[in-house]
Amino acid sequence: MSEVKIAIYPGTFDPLTSGHLDILEEACALFDRVVAAVGINPSKTPLFSARERLEMLRESVQWRGLSNIETVAFEGLTVDCASRHQAGFIVRGLRAVTDFEHEFGLLLANEQLDASIKTVFVMPSHKYLYLSSSVVRQAASLGGRIISGSVPPPVEARLREKFNF
Ligand code: ADP
């Protein structure tokens, strides 16, 4: 019998974008189970609290109809969160080449921390290649509008609430 393949998809998700959701959907097709994990980094001050980020993630996963996903929040090392959830793989999204150096550094660090956990890169649809949470935050804060289709509806609702538009 083949072993169940579990992957973790960690991120700040401040907020979750359609690009993140695209990667999650792909991960769901590739793995038996996916753990989408909101990172809590005490040295960062995100726009949305960890609780809000987790709620947006849960609502968006439900909106998209993805069923083999568990949503969690975690503090500390990604490899430790992966081990707690029996995940043998870390999924990361790769957009343009600009992501590569940063992501490659993370891959090497994670491999040194736990060689049994492999990093897998997934590229989003071309529509999302230049989309980032920071672009969404900026657009929402400057004039209270967001780029159409850049976030799932549950995230758009939170942005409207936060920026009063
Ligand atoms: P982190 O702080 O861990 O980089 P992010 O929420 O910014 O958290 O991103 C989480 C992961 O999703 C990263 O691997 C990032 O490269 C990827 N990602 C972010 N935006 C997109 C996008 N538009 N398309 C594909 N992957 C993306």
Side-chain angles (χ1 to χ4, degrees):
M1 208 174 74
S2 67
E3 151 200 0
V4 176
K5 290 210 178 332
I6 304 172
I8 179 175
Y9 178 41
T12 307
F13 306 128
D14 185 35
L16 183 91
T17 68
S18 302
H20 291 130
L21 206 51
D22 196 55
I23 299 296
L24 256 182
E25 200 165 351
E26 195 65 32
C28 282
L30 291 170
F31 296 96
D32 300 308
R33 202 151 64 77
V34 177
V35 180
V38 172
I40 302 170
N41 182 346
S43 66
K44 276 191 190 169
T45 37
L47 173 65
F48 290 98
S49 69
R51 190 199 169 125
E52 289 173 310
R53 286 180 282 139
L54 184 58
E55 282 170 358
M56 285 187 280
L57 176 61
R58 283 195 177 140
E59 290 161 6
S60 303
V61 161
Q62 206 172 21
W63 170 78
R64 204 80 186 92
L66 303 174
S67 55
N68 52 337
I69 295 196
E70 188 183 344
T71 52
V72 300
F74 76 104
E75 234 175 303
L77 294 173
T78 299
V79 287
D80 291 341
C81 182
S83 298
R84 277 198 299 279
H85 292 277
Q86 286 88 46
F89 303 88
I90 296 172
V91 170
R92 294 288 290 178
L94 263 193
R95 289 163 290 186
V97 271
T98 42
D99 274 344
F100 182 78
E101 205 152 326
H102 173 68
E103 293 293 338
F104 194 54
L106 286 178
L107 175 151
L108 293 178
N110 284 327
E111 260 190 12
Q112 280 171 17
L113 288 163
D114 189 335
S116 70
I117 300 173
K118 299 291 170 207
T119 298
V120 173
F121 292 110
V122 177
M123 292 193 80
S125 153
H126 64 92
K127 290 179 288 198
Y128 307 128
L129 276 177
Y130 289 96
L131 179 59
S132 65
S133 298
S134 62
V135 163
V136 168
R137 286 197 303 274
Q138 263 189 351
S141 66
L142 300 171
R145 275 193 297 126
I146 48 166
I147 302 149
S148 157
S150 61
V151 293
V155 175
E156 181 166 348
R158 299 278 179 141
L159 286 165
R160 284 185 182 283
E161 217 175 283
K162 190 150 299 261
F163 293 104
N164 261 320
F165 62 92

